Amino acid sequence: PETDTMGHMERSAWGIAVARMLRSNRSLRTVDLSGQPLPASHPAADPQEEARAVGVADALGHAAARHWALERLVLSRLQLPDACLEALVAPLAAHPALSALDISCSSVGPLTAAALSELLLRPSYLSTIVARGCGIDSDGIAAIASSLRFNTRLA
């Protein structure tokens, strides 16, 4: 148990460090976090741990949203719970220059599908979303598909 908690704390510290790096390094155009040890990579049994993980993911998402030079964000193979992935994706709706988002092989549940749908409704430069192997259910696909009618930039 102590090892699991320590592992979670290390993942939280890593997520916060990445958020700080995004705030301080304004020249990065691509950030690839594929398969990185973000918080709650494994389903948390403790609701407090999961809430902390969502908070770290939210901080990382907001840092990415404020990083206006960022053009490509890769979040593939993160294996985060739906609430964490949603917390990462939702703030990106305000990003003015993001052109590519890769969430392939990540678990996209109803919260993340709703965040993607909202992202597609916003006027943006987003032209590519990669979502291979995400297990999006039929309701999520319907929400995303209805938003695609309003987005003419996606390739």
Side-chain angles (χ1 to χ4, degrees):
E2 189 174 320
T3 305
D4 291 343
T5 302
M6 189 60 155
H8 177 77
M9 289 172 61
E10 288 171 358
R11 287 190 298 273
S12 292
W14 188 89
I16 295 294
V18 171
R20 284 185 183 140
M21 180 269 309
L22 284 171
R23 280 188 227 121
S24 65
N25 186 340
R26 297 293 187 182
S27 63
L28 290 174
R29 298 206 182 283
T30 298
V31 174
D32 186 341
L33 301 176
S34 300
Q36 292 302 315
L38 293 174
S41 292
H42 306 287
D46 180 8
Q48 287 180 331
E49 275 188 31
E50 189 166 337
R52 183 176 31 224
V54 169
V56 171
D58 183 64
L60 189 54
H62 278 88
R66 288 186 206 110
H67 192 313
W68 289 3
L70 187 64
E71 296 172 356
R72 182 170 181 261
L73 181 59
V74 182
L75 303 172
S76 65
R77 299 183 329 268
L78 292 185
Q79 298 180 5
L80 294 172
D82 188 36
C84 286
L85 190 57
E86 184 265 343
L88 267 168
V89 170
L92 299 176
H95 198 289
L98 189 68
S99 63
L101 176 64
D102 183 346
I103 57 167
S104 56
C105 300
S106 296
S107 297
V108 174
L111 296 173
T112 306
L116 286 171
S117 178
E118 181 66 26
L119 181 64
L120 293 170
L121 289 172
R122 303 284 181 150
S124 71
Y125 289 101
L126 191 65
S127 61
T128 305
I129 294 179
V130 180
R132 261 186 308 268
C134 288
I136 304 171
D137 67 11
S138 59
D139 290 337
I141 289 173
I144 292 167
S146 73
S147 296
L148 284 173
R149 292 181 292 155
F150 301 102
N151 188 308
T152 58
R153 290 192 178 266
L154 287 177

